[in-house]
Amino acid sequence: MAVDNSTSDPHTAGPQLSVADIIIIVVYFALNLAVGIWSSCHASRNTVRGYFLAGRDMTWWPIGASLFASSEGSGLFIGLAGSGAAGGVAVAGFEWNATYVLLALAWVFVPIYISSEIVTMPEYIQKRYGGQRIRMYLSVLSLLLSVFTKISIDLYAGALFVHICLGWNFYLSTILMLIITALYTIAGGLAAVIYTDALQTLIMVVGAVILTVKAFDQIGGYEQLAAAYARAIPSRTITNTTCHLPRADAMHMFRDPYTGDLPWTGMTFGLTIMATWYWCTDQVIVQRSLSARDLNHAKAGSILASYLKMLPMGLMIMPGMISRALFPGLRGLMIAVMMAALMSSLTSIFNSSSTLFTMDIWRRLRPRAGEWELLLVGRLVIVVLIGVSVAWIPILQGSNSGQLFIYMQSVTSSLAPPVTAVFVLGIFWQRANEQGAFWGLMAGLAVGAMRLVLEFLNPVLPCGNPDTRPAILGSIHYLHFAIALFALSGVVVVAGSLLTAPPHRAQIQNLTWWTLAQDPSPGAKTGDIQAAQKHAFWARICGFNAILLVCVNIFFYAYFA
């Protein structure tokens, strides 16, 4: 079925909701507030450890659900469906690649983070390398990335979606969502965020399954997907070009390294570098694993999140491909799903950003600050973030979502690889020191910022126009650039470390993979043999599931390769 590709006002409200749609939305908000209030009342909110790390007593299933929900913001939700409609299944690599780095998080990174007794990622870097300048740089960088990429994308996508479906004022939609998410985030801390994330995960998965079943039913099943997608040619095309036409390789994961829109080399290596930054070194994600009751719960949480990350291919990307050909949807359910995606990511970002500012920046300014002051500052930071988010709305309104997604990818590929290099070398190479790490970050920042500036000065031209941008933009895919930037930063870290004095023993002990002390199981600590055996049993269950998960992941990659 051909579709009209004409442009229209993206802020035009759709038809009115039915009674069933309104009931679904009201029930969603009621459930969300009930879980938020319950978890806030039961959370340990009066200590730094309780507020920012949920008392380090969280079990595996809410951790896994929160890891998934935190990564599936409304921006990514729309982005996956939109990218599926535009280019096919290859974008699923962004989700499936998470399997390997999530396992690395639980089996490699978290044991070191727990051993070092840290609350934030910059705090680990300070312990590992010494000095304050890298810690402050990473704290500021993380806060800026949170405000200008994560919050921006999710807020724009979610508020615009609700505005179109409900007909509410764009500002009203945005402010209302910010207030609701802030209420239980400020009140309950990380525990409240994790438990509400578990609810959002259930809503997202159930809602997406219902919408997916309806979508496949309308085209006659999965077997008809490729044919229906290939026939979905816009009514307006550009002569003598392939612009806006369905891609010939739409059903393939691995695409040409030179001409592919998502080259397999970049999706294999460049994406892994960016994913390692996001899943293993970013405060939003790692904070959930640090709240685990013990290492088995952290591992099981990562495994659950990895299984959930296998779902977006069928629940978001393929429905997006189907929507290219048809799709009037279930409006109330879709709004609930989108709201769940938005609120889970916003609460996660607010909580982790307040943790970063309080523990890394405020404690630096006021070393003698007591727990009451730190908790107050943490809550006030969330209020400030809400104000900044509202002030950012006019800029978001002046942009369209396509430009924003390109902007987020560009910023991440230009700024994340040096951070990945510093963490990976710090964990696996004992000789890495503060001088090498700092100058590696600065070299990576200089080169990454240069490409970022060039991208803003030379935006991508509309399809069909010759590419006159500089070679570093036109010839080097952003995922390939991430590989080069990671390698450059790594070389500078190695060279700077070898040319200066080695790190002190205190900067290595229990802070690298090779010097990590074996942590006894909970039962071994207390002499409880039964508890020790139970811990060992669940450790084997986690190991078996990790192997099974990798096998499932490889099968899906091979099937769609």
Side-chain angles (χ1 to χ4, degrees):
M1 181 185 294
V3 295
D4 187 1
N5 200 35
S6 60
T7 58
S8 60
D9 182 8
H11 290 206
T12 301
Q16 295 298 310
L17 296 175
S18 67
V19 174
D21 292 331
I22 294 172
I23 291 173
I24 289 172
I25 295 169
V26 170
V27 169
Y28 164 73
F29 275 112
L31 276 173
N32 199 65
L33 285 173
V35 173
I37 293 169
W38 173 84
S39 54
S40 297
C41 292
H42 287 76
S44 173
R45 300 173 293 164
N46 299 320
T47 65
V48 169
R49 180 189 175 101
Y51 187 79
F52 292 123
L53 289 178
R56 291 194 191 268
D57 193 39
M58 198 60 66
T59 53
W60 64 274
W61 63 269
I63 291 174
S66 185
L67 286 170
F68 173 75
S70 299
S71 67
E72 298 295 329
S74 55
L76 185 62
F77 205 100
I78 291 177
L80 287 174
S83 297
V89 302
V91 72
F94 284 92
E95 299 294 284
W96 291 356
N97 184 273
T99 293
Y100 304 100
V101 286
L102 269 167
L103 295 180
L105 168 67
W107 265 264
V108 178
F109 288 83
V110 168
I112 295 171
Y113 295 152
I114 292 176
S115 173
S116 60
E117 299 180 339
I118 51 97
V119 176
T120 68
M121 296 300 95
E123 185 181 358
Y124 166 76
I125 286 296
Q126 184 194 11
K127 286 191 172 187
R128 172 60 183 87
Y129 290 112
Q132 286 283 350
R133 55 184 180 175
I134 300 180
R135 179 177 183 175
M136 292 299 294
Y137 168 75
L138 291 180
S139 299
V140 172
L141 178 65
S142 297
L143 287 170
L144 291 176
L145 285 174
S146 292
V147 173
F148 295 111
T149 60
K150 299 171 187 174
I151 293 177
S152 302
I153 297 294
D154 289 338
L155 203 55
Y156 178 86
L160 183 57
F161 185 90
V162 173
H163 163 72
I164 291 173
C165 289
L166 297 180
W168 294 353
N169 177 272
F170 189 78
Y171 281 85
L172 176 64
S173 305
T174 308
I175 294 170
L176 180 66
M177 286 186 293
L178 284 171
I179 291 172
I180 293 173
T181 54
L183 284 176
Y184 59 81
T185 309
I186 292 173
L190 183 61
V193 171
I194 288 179
Y195 279 117
T196 50
D197 277 356
L199 172 67
Q200 315 288 20
T201 297
L202 179 65
I203 292 169
M204 279 192 281
V205 171
V206 171
V209 166
I210 293 171
L211 293 167
T212 300
V213 170
K214 179 178 173 62
F216 277 109
D217 180 62
Q218 295 223 10
I219 64 167
Y222 172 76
E223 296 77 10
Q224 303 301 317
L225 175 60
Y229 182 82
R231 291 194 302 268
I233 299 174
S235 58
R236 297 182 183 180
T237 58
I238 301 175
T239 309
N240 298 324
T241 71
T242 59
C243 295
H244 313 310
L245 299 178
R247 294 184 62 90
D249 57 1
M251 298 302 293
H252 298 290
M253 289 287 296
F254 291 162
R255 298 183 178 177
D256 191 277
Y258 300 104
T259 61
D261 58 334
L262 294 172
W264 74 264
T265 45
M267 292 294 285
T268 303
F269 303 107
L271 179 57
T272 300
I273 292 168
M274 293 164 61
T276 302
W277 164 77
Y278 180 75
W279 290 103
C280 300
T281 74
D282 188 49
Q283 184 69 25
V284 173
I285 297 300
V286 178
Q287 194 169 340
R288 275 125 195 82
S289 293
L290 291 180
S291 70
R293 182 173 296 172
D294 59 40
L295 198 51
N296 276 349
H297 282 277
K299 290 178 178 179
S302 282
I303 290 169
L304 174 60
S306 296
Y307 277 121
L308 291 171
K309 293 295 280 185
M310 303 296 291
L311 299 178
M313 167 70 99
L315 301 186
M316 299 178 197
I317 295 164
M318 288 183 177
M321 296 174 68
I322 296 170
S323 72
R324 185 181 175 107
L326 42 99
F327 217 157
L330 304 171
R331 294 164 59 79
L333 183 61
M334 193 61 197
I335 291 172
V337 170
M338 186 58 62
M339 291 294 291
L342 172 68
M343 295 175 75
S344 63
S345 59
L346 281 183
T347 55
S348 300
I349 296 165
F350 287 155
N351 181 261
S352 61
S353 297
S354 92
T355 306
L356 277 171
F357 182 86
T358 305
M359 304 306 291
D360 290 333
I361 296 177
W362 189 258
R363 281 210 308 186
R364 169 71 171 164
L365 298 174
R366 286 183 53 81
R368 297 182 180 179
E371 282 207 340
W372 183 86
E373 181 180 336
L374 293 175
L375 291 171
L376 178 62
V377 169
R379 290 179 168 101
L380 289 176
V381 167
I382 297 174
V383 176
V384 172
L385 279 173
I386 292 170
V388 172
S389 301
V390 172
W392 194 242
I393 293 173
I395 298 173
L396 299 181
Q397 273 193 297
S399 306
N400 65 55
S401 59
Q403 291 171 331
L404 283 173
F405 286 120
I406 293 170
Y407 153 78
M408 184 175 71
Q409 291 173 336
S410 301
V411 170
T412 303
S413 64
S414 298
L415 298 179
V419 179
T420 305
V422 166
F423 270 88
V424 169
L425 286 170
I427 286 173
F428 290 107
W429 190 43
Q430 297 181 46
R431 185 63 175 77
N433 65 13
E434 196 270 350
Q435 291 283 341
F438 177 76
W439 291 112
L441 284 172
M442 292 303 102
L445 175 64
V447 176
M450 179 183 70
R451 178 182 167 102
L452 209 53
V453 170
L454 287 174
E455 284 205 80
F456 287 132
L457 294 178
N458 301 275
V460 179
L461 296 173
C463 187
N465 293 299
D467 193 347
T468 57
R469 297 177 300 159
I472 192 175
L473 301 180
S475 304
I476 304 177
H477 194 277
Y478 70 88
L479 289 172
H480 290 155
F481 178 75
I483 301 172
L485 189 58
F486 175 82
L488 169 67
S489 302
V491 167
V492 174
V493 173
V494 170
S497 298
L498 292 175
L499 292 173
T500 52
H504 300 299
R505 182 66 182 172
Q507 295 169 355
I508 299 174
Q509 192 61 39
N510 289 331
L511 295 169
T512 74
W513 177 252
W514 312 109
T515 60
L516 184 63
Q518 287 296 321
D519 189 29
S521 66
K525 291 178 183 177
T526 61
D528 186 340
I529 297 176
Q530 189 175 1
Q533 290 175 339
K534 183 179 178 182
H535 182 85
F537 170 77
W538 286 111
R540 287 193 291 271
I541 293 292
C542 289
F544 170 77
N545 271 279
I547 295 171
L548 177 63
L549 179 64
V550 170
C551 292
V552 171
N553 186 275
I554 292 173
F555 169 78
F556 277 117
Y557 263 115
Y559 184 81
F560 288 101

